[in-house]
Amino acid sequence: GLAADHRPCGPAPDDQAAEGHLADIHDLGELRAAVTALKAGGERVAMVPTMGALHDGHLTLVREAKRHAAHVLVSIFVNPLQFGPKEDFKRYPRPLREDREKAESAGADLLWTPAAEEMYSAPYRTFIEVEALGRRWEGASRPGHFRGVATVVAKLLQVVRPDRLYLGQKDYQQS
Ligand code: PAF
């Protein structure tokens, strides 16, 4: 099943990172432990949050992150909160195997693929709202979209607490 597919295998995450292999982590507790271990070494951790379906833009962010930090964590989470009722959350592409290979070849050390149930334990009721900016422009035609983005990014940041964060500038309003 999906959970088995995400489960890390082989050596511990920090050993894998040291060898240049991607540590593939699904579980929140394991991710926390891996990040804590990396930070204990005193080196920088950079984060590239994504929704997967990685393309050259994402990989440029990963390479740039790697120039400025010893460890690069890529998260892949198709965030249900930022999809409207008429937007296709279920059909959003999830080519995990290819994403894993691309992330690794661009220099990522850790891949975190959180589960929706762990990010938003039911009943989920806490949100980050960006007043004014979250409602104008794209926010006007996609009500709740920026609330979903701001909420998930805040949650991802709270878990990882990276030294650096890399976001594409394609989504001007979001960045
Ligand atoms: O830009 C994206 O891919 C997403 O909005 C982000 C920042 C990963 C949050 O889900």
Side-chain angles (χ1 to χ4, degrees):
L2 204 56
D5 197 33
H6 289 270
R7 219 169 283 147
C9 54
D14 44 350
D15 296 343
Q16 289 183 330
E19 285 168 21
H21 298 297
L22 189 70
D24 189 354
I25 301 182
H26 183 55
D27 179 79
L28 182 59
E30 256 171 59
L31 188 275
R32 283 211 170 96
V35 171
T36 302
L38 294 180
K39 287 183 180 169
E43 291 172 324
R44 271 193 200 143
V45 176
M47 178 171 192
V48 184
T50 80
M51 298 209 303
L54 301 182
H55 51 63
D56 285 347
H58 296 115
L59 302 181
T60 301
L61 296 177
V62 174
R63 287 190 203 101
E64 185 61 19
K66 194 63 188 176
R67 288 180 54 225
H68 298 280
H71 308 284
V72 177
L73 183 154
V74 173
S75 62
I76 296 182
F77 180 62
V78 184
N79 174 31
L81 274 193
Q82 69 189 75
F83 287 79
K86 291 187 186 131
E87 298 171 5
D88 239 335
F89 166 70
K90 286 206 177 112
R91 289 173 57 181
Y92 195 85
R94 291 165 173 83
L96 189 58
R97 197 175 303 265
E98 288 91 332
D99 282 351
R100 198 181 282 136
E101 282 164 16
K102 287 179 186 172
E104 180 163 27
S105 65
D109 303 282
L110 260 104
L111 180 69
W112 179 31
T113 54
E117 310 79 63
E118 223 163 15
M119 292 297 283
Y120 303 119
S121 49
Y124 192 77
R125 297 196 178 103
T126 308
F127 303 92
I128 305 276
E129 192 91 49
V130 182
E131 290 196 344
L133 181 62
R135 280 192 284 273
R136 69 194 297 198
W137 300 329
E138 191 181 354
S141 59
R142 302 180 73 188
H145 173 69
F146 287 108
R147 178 172 99 145
V149 172
T151 300
V152 81
V153 171
K155 288 171 74 77
L156 294 168
L157 285 176
Q158 192 189 25
V159 172
V160 178
R161 303 180 70 84
D163 299 293
R164 286 175 172 247
L165 174 73
Y166 290 82
L167 283 173
Q169 304 210 315
K170 173 179 75 67
D171 302 301
Y172 170 72
Q173 189 173 358
Q174 172 179 282
S175 66

